[in-house]
Amino acid sequence: MGEEQIRAALAEATDTQDVVVGPGALGEVAEVAGRRFGGRPLLVVADATTWRVAGEQVQRRLEAAGLATEAPYRFPPDTFVLADYTSVERLRDAIAGHDAVPVAVGSGSLNDIVKRAAHETGRPYLVVATAASMDGYTAFGAAITRDGYKQTMTCPAPRAVVADLEVLAGAPPDMTASGYGDLLGKVTAGADWLVADALGVEPVDPGAWELAQGPLREAIGRPRELAGGDRDALGRLVEGLVLSGLAMQAHASSRPASGAEHQFSHLWEMEGLGHDRRPPLSHGFKVGLGTVAVAALYERVLERDLTALDVEAQCRAWPGPEEAEAAVRAAHATPGLAEAAVAETMAKHADAGILRRRLELLADRWPALRDRLATQLLPAERLRDMLRAAGCPTSAPEIGLSWPAFRDTYHRARMIRRRYTVLDLAAETGTFGELVDELFTPGGFWAGEATA
Ligand SMILES: [Zn+2]
């Protein structure tokens, strides 16, 4: 099933032409490279670990097939704590002397660095996945830290992806769990897109929606088996991640795969949470916890009758631009981040006229929207159990965050991205404060843990 979906998605994809997923897929790397890059020379890019688990074999296979190669580029140890722009520049300068096509052998940060460096030198590239740790393999754009600020830098997705399940199965269990956390985020990301669609902010693109949401339930359905090393469960996860990336590629935006749960994750990332750990706290672990947090908020939202809002009173109470900017600055002290958050918040800040029309639309559409959201979402409790079964952290202290800081994230995360999510819905309906209070007061979702 997954293979057919991938093939259909590739027919629509703008950058990626080949995705080979399966046990032993590494055996096809030379064929794929030959097919996609003609006679161009190739350059294997790896770090010490990925060289050992796959890079050396890739190099050997390319040579054995008679393809021209440059001497492999090996990153020094510990380059990937942060995918920083310095690493991009270093690789770019190193490959400027020839015109070989990079063959990235690695996962998240390594792939992002190569993706951007290939773009800056005007070359396509191929990635050989070494862990099912995130959905960025088939996505356009690279998450790179520059001047202390993590941003998505523009660049095309790889021309081809090779994901050998034997290699991925050998990755550290935390990396597979991270991929699971990242994929689980599509549950709330989808819900946020439905909200934005219903309110006329951002319409759902049915094709991209189907890519991200179609395989989702099956791909997240067996966390315990996944953690136990089940190959079929791993295969489903990889397909889900690949299709999620292709959804972003098809939509030329991360909207199909990223909502408020990623805003939680991005805020923590930009504030350096867990960067001092070895390995650093992963993207997927943060997204997973963000997913539970956002699903818990949705549960409170769905209990409300948003057809009965006092629209006039809400429009009167709604902050103007100066007040909104002051609120962002009060919530964000990190230099760089504060400026970026102001720009992002102001880009989506509704004036009173827009707010009025939106709330009237909401009153009209809420019953149907609520039903769609209830179908899309899973209970927060269930999501937490699934995450735990997959081996992911499920509480603030586990990721090194105090409960008060975690609670603050609900408000602060909304400000760092212009994307419209349930956090904006809560703010614009004037219910945000009450909803978050409900989560942390006795009987609320986080109450037991947060006060223990
Ligand atoms: Zn993600």
Side-chain angles (χ1 to χ4, degrees):
M1 180 204 92
E3 270 171 55
E4 274 166 48
Q5 279 176 310
I6 290 174
R7 212 172 308 125
L10 289 175
E12 304 295 322
T14 47
D15 304 327
T16 307
Q17 299 170 343
D18 251 312
V19 175
V20 184
V21 180
L26 223 48
E28 293 181 47
V29 69
E31 193 190 322
V32 172
R35 181 161 70 221
R36 293 304 166 196
F37 307 117
R40 287 183 74 168
L42 303 156
L43 168 74
V44 172
V45 181
D47 66 16
T49 305
T50 66
W51 176 257
R52 186 168 41 76
V53 301
E56 191 173 10
Q57 193 190 146
V58 169
Q59 178 72 24
R60 213 168 352 98
R61 287 182 180 279
L62 298 176
E63 287 171 2
L67 299 169
T69 58
E70 293 285 338
Y73 180 93
R74 310 268 288 272
F75 281 104
D78 226 23
T79 302
F80 303 114
V81 172
L82 293 170
D84 64 332
Y85 195 66
T86 310
S87 301
V88 173
E89 289 175 314
R90 209 174 295 148
L91 176 60
R92 186 192 65 201
D93 294 347
I95 66 180
H98 55 68
D99 67 346
V101 171
V103 176
V105 181
S107 60
S109 299
L110 190 148
N111 179 45
D112 277 343
I113 291 168
V114 178
K115 193 187 280 190
R116 178 67 191 185
H119 172 63
E120 291 192 9
T121 50
R123 301 174 206 191
Y125 85 105
L126 179 156
V127 61
V128 175
T130 54
S133 53
M134 44 85 227
D135 65 1
Y137 289 117
T138 43
F140 80 101
I144 301 286
T145 300
R146 190 175 191 177
D147 305 325
Y149 183 69
K150 182 165 179 140
Q151 49 194 293
T152 302
M153 300 186 88
T154 306
C155 43
R159 180 78 58 85
V161 180
V162 174
D164 187 332
L165 293 183
E166 305 293 338
V167 173
L168 303 184
D174 274 4
M175 296 189 85
T176 308
S178 295
Y180 185 84
D182 198 21
L183 194 63
L184 203 67
K186 313 318 164 202
V187 173
T188 46
D192 283 340
W193 205 0
L194 294 176
V195 169
D197 178 86
L199 298 182
V201 178
E202 209 179 328
V204 164
D205 162 355
W209 172 273
E210 183 53 33
L211 287 177
Q213 298 294 329
L216 184 58
R217 293 300 162 115
E218 200 162 340
I220 61 175
R222 287 181 295 157
R224 204 170 305 281
E225 288 85 341
L226 182 69
D230 182 285
R231 288 300 163 89
D232 189 58
L234 177 65
R236 297 290 181 196
L237 171 66
V238 174
E239 283 165 8
L241 292 169
V242 163
L243 287 163
S244 170
L246 290 172
M248 291 188 264
Q249 192 178 135
H251 194 61
S253 139
S254 60
R255 171 58 101 172
S258 163
E261 75 297 324
H262 272 77
Q263 294 174 350
F264 274 59
S265 161
H266 290 317
L267 177 64
W268 295 332
E269 258 154 46
M270 290 190 286
E271 294 187 330
L273 183 69
H275 284 175
D276 51 344
R277 296 188 184 188
R278 291 294 175 274
L281 183 64
S282 69
H283 172 71
F285 280 1
K286 284 171 275 193
V287 171
L289 184 56
T291 303
V292 177
V294 173
L297 181 70
Y298 262 116
E299 286 177 357
R300 308 313 308 176
V301 173
L302 294 191
E303 282 180 11
R304 280 192 155 54
D305 180 7
L306 298 180
T307 64
L309 290 173
D310 184 342
V311 172
E312 289 312 317
Q314 185 53 22
C315 289
R316 274 196 303 279
W318 187 241
E322 281 161 28
E323 210 183 323
E325 181 176 335
V328 177
R329 291 193 186 281
H332 293 281
T334 311
L337 174 54
E339 286 308 316
V342 166
E344 294 294 317
T345 298
M346 298 325 289
K348 66 179 172 182
H349 184 71
D351 64 24
I354 289 175
L355 183 67
R356 178 175 292 105
R357 279 196 298 283
R358 201 174 277 165
L359 294 178
E360 285 165 359
L361 202 57
L362 178 64
D364 192 39
R365 297 186 174 174
W366 179 241
L369 175 59
R370 183 164 52 184
D371 287 350
R372 272 198 92 179
L373 290 171
T375 307
Q376 167 68 20
L377 290 160
L378 290 167
E381 187 68 56
R382 172 118 178 266
L383 289 166
R384 179 160 59 184
D385 289 346
M386 291 162 80
L387 266 190
R388 196 175 287 138
C392 298
T394 58
S395 75
E398 283 175 90
I399 64 163
L401 203 62
S402 72
W403 282 111
F406 176 75
R407 181 183 169 140
D408 283 347
T409 305
Y410 277 95
H411 295 279
R412 301 176 65 234
R414 181 177 81 86
M415 301 169 170
I416 62 159
R417 287 281 192 268
R418 64 191 63 198
R419 176 158 300 153
Y420 195 93
T421 71
V422 66
L423 304 176
D424 299 293
L425 177 71
E428 292 182 355
T429 53
T431 56
F432 211 157
E434 294 165 27
L435 293 166
V436 175
D437 281 348
E438 286 171 16
L439 293 175
F440 290 88
T441 46
F445 185 81
W446 297 112
E449 293 178 84
T451 54

